[in-house]
Amino acid sequence: MTTVLSVASECAPLVKTGGLADVAGALPSALAGHGTEMRTLLPGYPAVMAALEEPVAIIQREKNLFGGPARLLHGIAGGLEVYVLDAPHLFEREGAIYLGPDGKDWPDNPERFAALSWMAATIATDGAAGWEPQVLHLHDWQAALTPIYLRQLGSADRVATLLTIHNIAFQGLTDAKRLKALKLPASGFTADGFEYYGKISALKAGLVYADKLSTVSPSYAIELMTPEFGMGLDGVLRSRRADMTGILNGIDLEAWQPPFKTLRAKAKLTKSLRQEMGLPDAGGPLCVVVSRLTSQKGLDILLEALPRLLAEGGQLALLGSGDAELEKAFQEADARHSGVAVKIGYDEALSHRFIAGGDAILVPSRFEPCGLTQLYGLRHGTLPVVSLTGGLADTVVPANAAGIWAGVATGIQVHPITTDAWEHALGQLCAIYRQHDIWNRMQKNAMRHPVGWEVSAAAYAALFKDIEKAA
Ligand code: ADP
């Protein structure tokens, strides 16, 4: 049995801003059948403290942890076995977990997550009421100082570390003046260490000092090593090439259980979605999008390619919110075209009706570490049309000549990520839609594709076993 402490700044269902929370929330139970016991260390945000059942204090001794007293609690929260860093001066506050009421990062975010990392290293060094992790699974910059603290506490030879990158855009940059306040060694503040253009980079500390690195898809693992995707850290990542792995995220199969048993029953849901959104049936596929509206998601490209879909009898239903300009552009498209319906907002229930009722789901992202909506689409026989990048490249079997000949295609991949290529792909989608045999075959292939955690949990378990150090 490998014991693993997952160190996460968010964890579904307790606190969530993105995919990191889903991974942190899903992995412990997914790993249970794979010889891995994973417990989770979380910050004591109000939502976590409120959810904690039967807490027991196990480390009381921190009188001054980055500016105030702290203790470590152990209990159950959100169905997980958790350790909670109860440090009111850092975590007991209203507002979002990373942002203050003014919408800006909390100024003491570096200290808040340094404290989380310090506690992770302390548990690794001293154990937690008899439980000793052999591996620390660190998520993003918020946990990335841990390998340095492990060295300082003298346990880096004993306890292994895996740093998983969910989003390289967030790097935890801090002014160099805070070196001492963050308990960081001046000797590490170099280009080979955690210095990044004159600042402290928490993420870079993890990229340099963790034993192994991973990200959330094999393709993104390679893309991160290029200047186009590496956001300034591609050189560091290239130097760690041998230690980098990509493991895909899974989805919650219960939450995303299709509400139909047969494709005929699915067709009824398509019909009601058309009615709900006021979209006609003009002989083409009903395409759906569920997405944040940001430049990353490439929806401006889709907007330009859209006339091709409409000309071939297809429709678009979009659910999303984000950049004001994109919201406006899609609302204008809705007003101009009878084949376009746009709902601005975040609506979990409607997202399920979109995914279940759509014929195809469009994901035109410029980059996508893993992506979840294409996985929901596969499970519902809602064929994904995706940009060929990151996790989108790894989860869709393209309907190119070879894929169709072999009878294995599950969707369409678009490359390069341009308007021209997207126009072509939407034309191809409509052509395949008219060939019922091929379309049905693709739907069946898609619905068989494994999109849960089983495969990835086995991959994480093997990685943990591999890096575990002899005590
Ligand atoms: P990202 O994390 O970059 O936003 P993912 O595809 O990994 O992209 O995950 C997005 C998640 O958020 C999915 O679960 C998707 O269904 C959900 N989502 C995004 N926008 C909306 C929305 N407007 N309404 C409901 N769910 C949404």
Side-chain angles (χ1 to χ4, degrees):
M1 181 70 76
T2 309
T3 50
V4 182
L5 180 68
S6 169
V7 185
S9 56
E10 50 185 280
C11 182
L14 300 167
V15 270
K16 171 171 168 173
T17 72
L20 147 58
D22 289 321
V23 177
L27 259 186
S29 53
L31 283 165
H34 293 276
T36 304
E37 188 203 352
M38 178 177 270
R39 299 185 185 181
T40 308
L41 172 65
L42 296 172
Y45 308 118
V48 173
M49 296 298 286
L52 193 59
E53 296 162 31
E54 296 173 31
V56 177
I58 54 169
I59 296 182
Q60 296 263 25
R61 64 158 192 226
E62 298 279 357
K63 292 204 176 62
N64 182 2
L65 185 70
F66 296 93
R71 49 185 198 150
L72 185 69
L73 305 176
H74 179 216
I76 304 287
L80 300 179
E81 181 152 4
V82 294
Y83 296 100
V84 175
L85 176 55
D86 179 23
H89 64 295
L90 299 173
F91 302 119
E92 191 187 279
R93 47 183 90 166
E94 297 302 315
I97 55 177
Y98 307 129
L99 310 175
D102 57 357
K104 292 195 184 132
D105 285 350
W106 292 107
D108 61 347
N109 272 351
E111 283 79 6
R112 297 170 80 215
F113 297 107
L116 183 73
S117 303
W118 183 266
M119 189 50 76
T122 304
I123 295 174
T125 306
D126 300 341
W131 187 77
E132 295 188 351
Q134 293 157 303
V135 179
L136 299 180
H137 186 194
L138 312 171
H139 298 279
D140 275 353
W141 77 265
Q142 290 90 342
L145 290 177
T146 309
I148 295 195
Y149 295 149
L150 267 187
R151 279 179 162 71
Q152 282 172 235
L153 296 175
S155 42
D157 292 341
R158 212 161 33 79
V159 181
T161 48
L162 168 69
L163 174 68
T164 296
I165 304 164
H166 299 269
N167 193 337
I168 194 121
F170 300 109
Q171 303 184 352
L173 291 177
T174 317
D175 200 291
K177 283 195 286 237
R178 281 157 109 163
L179 207 56
K180 236 186 168 164
L182 294 175
K183 302 188 199 233
L184 292 172
S187 58
F189 191 66
T190 64
D192 294 340
F194 51 80
E195 186 255 354
Y196 183 78
Y197 294 102
K199 295 196 157 194
I200 298 164
S201 166
L203 183 63
K204 191 175 168 210
L207 297 182
V208 171
Y209 297 111
D211 293 312
K212 292 275 179 188
L213 307 175
S214 77
T215 188
V216 291
S217 69
S219 288
Y220 193 60
I222 294 168
E223 289 170 349
L224 279 177
M225 295 177 202
T226 66
E228 193 185 347
F229 294 94
M231 301 214 177
L233 291 171
D234 46 291
V236 186
L237 286 158
R238 280 196 298 279
S239 75
R240 302 275 338 246
R241 186 186 306 266
D243 296 315
M244 172 64 121
T245 320
I247 302 177
L248 285 166
N249 291 341
I251 63 169
D252 182 336
L253 297 181
E254 266 175 45
W256 290 94
Q257 179 67 32
F260 54 83
K261 290 248 164 11
T262 63
L263 287 173
R264 189 175 294 201
K266 176 181 168 71
K268 284 194 189 140
L269 296 179
T270 307
K271 204 169 164 196
S272 32
L273 181 60
R274 282 183 185 285
Q275 274 166 359
E276 178 177 357
M277 298 304 291
L279 288 170
D281 184 347
L286 172 58
C287 299
V288 297
V289 170
V290 178
S291 181
R292 292 185 291 120
L293 302 182
T294 64
S295 148
Q296 177 198 336
K297 300 295 179 182
L299 293 161
D300 49 316
I301 301 171
L302 175 64
L303 204 54
E304 285 176 13
L306 199 55
R308 179 68 185 269
L309 176 69
L310 302 174
E312 303 239 10
Q315 290 79 38
L316 175 72
L318 176 137
L319 168 63
S321 63
D323 295 352
E325 244 172 67
L326 272 171
E327 289 186 357
K328 187 161 160 261
F330 273 102
Q331 280 167 326
E332 281 168 9
D334 179 330
R336 204 173 327 125
H337 304 289
S338 61
V340 177
V342 170
K343 181 82 196 284
I344 300 294
Y346 190 97
D347 187 335
E348 189 80 30
L350 185 59
S351 78
H352 279 259
R353 295 201 291 283
F354 267 47
I355 305 272
D359 291 308
I361 180 155
L362 312 182
V363 192
S365 304
R366 291 190 163 85
F367 71 94
E368 195 60 75
C370 177
L372 291 176
T373 60
Q374 84 280 11
L375 302 178
Y376 305 151
L378 286 170
R379 183 155 171 78
H380 290 76
T382 305
L383 300 186
V385 184
V386 300
S387 295
L388 184 66
T389 186
L392 302 173
D394 296 330
T395 51
V396 174
V397 183
N400 54 24
I404 289 185
W405 179 84
V408 293
T410 60
I412 292 176
Q413 288 181 333
V414 188
H415 176 80
I417 307 171
T418 60
T419 304
D420 283 347
W422 264 91
E423 271 185 14
H424 179 80
L426 293 174
Q428 189 195 0
L429 177 75
C430 295
I432 295 178
Y433 182 75
R434 291 188 288 264
Q435 295 171 267
H436 299 294
D437 289 356
I438 297 181
W439 186 271
N440 282 342
R441 177 71 185 259
M442 285 177 67
Q443 284 186 305
K444 285 179 185 150
N445 292 342
M447 293 172 79
R448 270 201 301 270
H449 191 100
V451 290
W453 273 102
E454 203 44 37
V455 175
S456 296
Y460 274 110
L463 186 54
F464 293 140
K465 182 104 200 92
D466 192 43
I467 62 176
E468 179 187 318
K469 296 176 181 175

